[in-house]
Amino acid sequence: MIQNKKKLCFFVKKEPAESFIQNVIENDDTVHEELIMSSKDHNDTFISSLEKSAVYSKKHENVIDTVHEELVIPNKDHHDIFISSPEQSAVVLKKNEEERIKNRNIMRRLIDIVLLLGKTGKPFRGHDESILSNQKGMFREIIDLLARPVETFVALNKMTSVTGQSIFDSINIVLKMINKDWSSVLAVCFDGASSMSGNVGGVQTKCKEQNDKILYVHCYAHCLNLVLIDSICENSSTPNNRLIFNFLGTIQFIYNFIEGSPMRHAILQKVALEAGSHLKSLKSCSITRWACRSEAVSAVKSNYSILIVAIDEIYKNYTIPCMKAKGIGLLHQLQSFEFLLGLHLIEPILKMILKVS
């Protein structure tokens, strides 16, 4: 640091002493003659005596005063000398520290990969490490895998209103919370509701007002959900296909019948305990999320034999007429050919849908 009327900081990027002296005093012949430069291999510069050093410093004192705070002095080796204010130097130091931490984290990741491959005895190199190759080797493949973007859960906000403006305000708050601005947002993905996808007051429109380069994508999982609902709902284009529609209705009725009463749920648990079977929790069929339907169907298939015994015990021991009637009807549905066909037909299909939803 040189203190002379203003505080200035020098940031020098690996520069040979000869080039530094040459840049500063190239027009000062008298001082240049006073300097002895030797040992080119080590870039050492020697000043003949303390008196001559004082002369050099005095002659160039006024030069430093005229240097602008943001002046950049280039030299012949393309290395720059930056002179900046303390505030600017703090910013540079902060960026350098962030870069250092980033590089250190990358190095740690690479070391972990090396340790993993060494511990498991896997080969590092492949036959062809080019970009389009399928034989890059374990080391490159793991690096490429870790370099892919990862979805991260950021926040869950409780909404008191579901208008486009209120939802946008909530998103804006979350962006500020994670120190991001709208210029860093590439795309937004919503369902097709008017409050989300509307061209006037929808959330996607308000997002584009902040950054016109943002892309709006209609959620593919929601699109798939709409197609599936339309294919089996009562008002679909194929009303004669009632098997899946009735099957899903029975799945929901099982949940309502068993979980609607603590006593009936206790009977199901007792039967599972006596049979020594693991009881999988029953799930309700969501109207909007097919992932929940997959879990509901999977639970019924896993607990099928237990459900048959439990419902049979419930309707035989119950004295309430309507509960006995519901139990008899549900038991009949569970043992019907249509239900069993639907159970074995749709359960693997829903598992595949679950992966993309």
Side-chain angles (χ1 to χ4, degrees):
M1 179 180 291
I2 299 175
Q3 183 166 348
N4 192 355
K5 294 185 179 180
K6 294 183 180 180
K7 291 184 178 180
L8 301 176
C9 297
F10 278 95
F11 293 93
V12 183
K13 296 182 179 178
K14 291 184 179 180
E15 182 181 22
E18 292 176 342
S19 61
F20 173 77
I21 298 296
Q22 182 66 28
N23 280 327
V24 177
I25 63 170
E26 59 184 0
N27 296 321
D28 195 332
D29 296 334
T30 60
V31 178
H32 185 68
E33 293 173 357
E34 304 271 345
L35 300 178
I36 302 174
M37 289 173 284
S38 62
S39 184
K40 293 183 179 179
D41 294 336
H42 300 283
N43 296 322
D44 296 331
T45 301
F46 299 90
I47 300 178
S48 60
S49 65
L50 293 176
E51 291 78 5
K52 293 175 181 179
S53 300
V55 172
Y56 165 76
S57 177
K58 185 66 176 178
K59 284 181 176 290
H60 293 280
E61 186 178 21
N62 294 329
V63 177
I64 298 297
D65 290 337
T66 60
V67 176
H68 193 271
E69 291 182 357
E70 296 181 354
L71 180 63
V72 179
I73 307 175
N75 64 32
K76 61 184 180 180
D77 295 325
H78 304 288
H79 295 296
D80 298 336
I81 304 172
F82 296 90
I83 306 176
S84 62
S85 64
E87 293 78 8
Q88 291 172 321
S89 65
V91 173
V92 173
L93 289 174
K94 182 180 179 181
K95 290 183 178 180
N96 290 342
E97 179 66 14
E98 291 176 352
E99 186 70 18
R100 185 185 68 82
I101 294 175
K102 178 182 177 182
N103 292 338
R104 178 170 292 184
N105 290 331
I106 292 174
M107 183 58 65
R108 286 175 178 170
R109 191 70 66 88
L110 294 175
I111 293 173
D112 289 339
I113 296 174
V114 172
L115 293 175
L116 173 64
L117 295 178
K119 183 188 296 183
T120 55
K122 300 297 182 181
F124 281 66
R125 296 186 60 186
H127 296 289
D128 181 6
E129 295 186 356
S130 60
I131 297 177
L132 300 178
S133 173
N134 293 325
Q135 297 178 340
K136 297 179 182 179
M138 295 293 293
F139 186 77
R140 283 293 304 273
E141 290 292 351
I142 295 177
I143 290 177
D144 292 344
L145 177 64
L146 295 178
R148 294 177 184 176
V150 180
E151 293 183 2
T152 304
F153 180 80
V154 176
L156 178 64
N157 285 4
K158 182 179 180 180
M159 302 298 301
T160 58
S161 174
V162 291
T163 62
Q165 185 63 48
S166 61
I167 296 174
F168 172 77
D169 292 340
S170 181
I171 297 174
N172 204 26
I173 291 173
V174 173
L175 284 177
K176 292 180 180 178
M177 181 181 68
I178 60 177
N179 297 322
K180 297 292 184 181
D181 54 28
W182 284 101
S183 61
S184 61
V185 179
L186 301 178
V188 291
C189 182
F190 308 125
D191 58 26
S194 59
S195 61
M196 305 300 292
S197 62
N199 293 325
V200 179
V203 176
Q204 64 103 359
T205 301
K206 296 184 180 298
C207 293
K208 288 183 178 180
E209 291 175 356
Q210 303 297 320
N211 181 2
D212 57 359
K213 295 181 180 180
I214 290 177
L215 299 176
Y216 162 64
V217 180
H218 189 169
C219 175
Y220 287 174
H222 183 253
C223 292
L224 177 61
N225 185 75
L226 295 176
V227 171
L228 293 171
I229 288 177
D230 183 69
S231 65
I232 59 96
C233 69
E234 189 172 6
N235 296 323
S236 67
S237 58
T238 55
N240 294 326
N241 183 13
R242 305 288 300 178
L243 188 148
I244 303 301
F245 181 79
N246 293 336
F247 167 77
L248 293 175
T250 304
I251 293 291
Q252 182 62 38
F253 186 56
I254 294 171
Y255 175 83
N256 295 338
F257 182 77
I258 298 295
E259 301 299 333
S261 168
M263 294 178 60
R264 294 193 288 272
H265 181 77
I267 293 174
L268 180 64
Q269 287 183 320
K270 179 179 71 70
V271 172
L273 184 61
E274 292 174 352
S277 301
H278 173 71
L279 181 62
K280 194 171 183 178
S281 299
L282 298 178
K283 303 290 184 180
S284 177
C285 289
S286 172
I287 298 176
T288 57
R289 288 194 59 82
W290 275 78
C292 296
R293 296 173 186 249
S294 175
E295 294 172 354
V297 173
S298 178
V300 170
K301 185 177 181 180
S302 177
N303 301 329
Y304 182 79
S305 59
I306 302 173
L307 285 168
I308 295 293
V309 176
I311 294 173
D312 183 71
E313 182 176 334
I314 289 171
Y315 96 83
K316 288 181 178 178
N317 296 331
Y318 254 66
T319 57
I320 303 175
C322 64
M323 288 296 104
K324 289 180 71 72
K326 289 181 179 180
I328 294 172
L330 184 56
L331 191 62
H332 174 74
Q333 284 292 330
L334 283 172
Q335 295 175 323
S336 66
F337 172 78
E338 289 80 6
F339 180 84
L340 292 174
L341 176 62
L343 183 63
H344 290 84
L345 177 65
I346 200 171
E347 197 258 348
I349 297 176
L350 289 177
K351 282 186 176 180
M352 290 187 289
I353 296 172
L354 180 61
K355 294 180 181 179
V356 296
S357 64

